[in-house]
Amino acid sequence: MLILKKIKIHFRNMINEKLEKRLEKNGIKPTANRLLVLDAISKKNEIFSLLDLEAELETIDKSTLFRTLTLFQQHLLVHTIDDGPGSLKYSVCDVECDCSPDWQHVHFFCIKCKHTYCLNDTPIPSVTLPLDFEIKTINMVVKGTCANCKE
């Protein structure tokens, strides 16, 4: 039993070390709350909202979560998706992502189940702007019915 407990503690320390390095690599000072938030969102395989995260991390208040997600966005740990229903959704960036228009991809919003999906392998089509315009970010959301709801 003692060996199993030591293994769990060692594994938890390794995870925390990895999370701390990711924060530091992106220029963010690791704090207990930031580590908790990064740990929670790193385990997500789908897009999430502030409310989703608030329900999961009950010990952290909504304003702290919002400030943490805003900081993570500014430092390229998450990107935001405006899928139309009125609140931003978030997705964890790949380690090498710089959130430039070249890294951006199409998102899909299901009108039945209200889920938003990252379509990582579907790049946003090239956009030509007038001469003195510069693209900083692009948000493309396709709306329809997902595979689960179509059945």
Side-chain angles (χ1 to χ4, degrees):
M1 209 48 138
L2 183 61
I3 293 173
L4 185 59
K5 191 179 243 184
K6 285 183 179 183
I7 291 172
K8 285 182 180 179
I9 291 170
H10 178 69
F11 185 67
R12 198 173 313 128
N13 288 340
M14 285 176 45
I15 291 172
N16 279 343
E17 197 174 296
K18 182 180 175 185
L19 295 172
E20 283 180 27
K21 285 181 181 178
R22 177 101 194 255
L23 288 175
E24 289 169 350
K25 177 185 175 277
N26 287 71
I28 300 171
K29 180 182 175 185
T31 64
N33 282 343
R34 291 172 185 167
L35 289 167
L36 280 173
V37 172
L38 183 57
D39 184 43
I41 66 176
S42 295
K43 295 173 183 173
K44 296 192 175 300
N45 293 324
E46 58 185 41
I47 293 171
F48 58 94
S49 68
L50 178 61
L51 291 176
D52 296 333
L53 198 57
E54 184 182 23
E56 184 178 337
L57 298 173
E58 297 172 352
T59 59
I60 303 176
D61 66 89
K62 189 175 186 175
S63 62
T64 299
L65 285 174
F66 179 75
R67 285 192 309 270
T68 301
L69 289 173
T70 300
L71 179 70
F72 285 5
Q73 180 190 7
Q74 292 168 345
H75 289 265
L76 309 178
L77 280 173
V78 297
H79 65 270
T80 56
I81 301 102
D82 179 357
D83 61 11
S87 68
L88 287 178
K89 302 288 188 333
Y90 300 88
S91 180
V92 179
C93 294
D94 291 334
V95 175
E96 59 275 349
C97 177
D98 65 2
C99 290
S100 68
D102 293 336
W103 274 92
Q104 308 216 353
H105 52 267
V106 173
H107 295 90
F108 185 89
F109 177 77
C110 179
I111 57 177
K112 284 192 176 182
C113 68
K114 309 298 185 217
H115 276 84
T116 303
Y117 301 88
C118 275
L119 303 179
N120 292 323
D121 296 329
T122 307
I124 292 178
S126 177
V127 176
T128 305
L129 295 177
L131 195 55
D132 289 335
F133 289 69
E134 180 183 2
I135 296 174
K136 293 290 186 185
T137 185
I138 297 176
N139 182 35
M140 183 172 186
V141 178
V142 176
K143 297 181 181 186
T145 308
C146 70
N148 293 332
C149 292
K150 193 173 179 182
E151 296 172 357

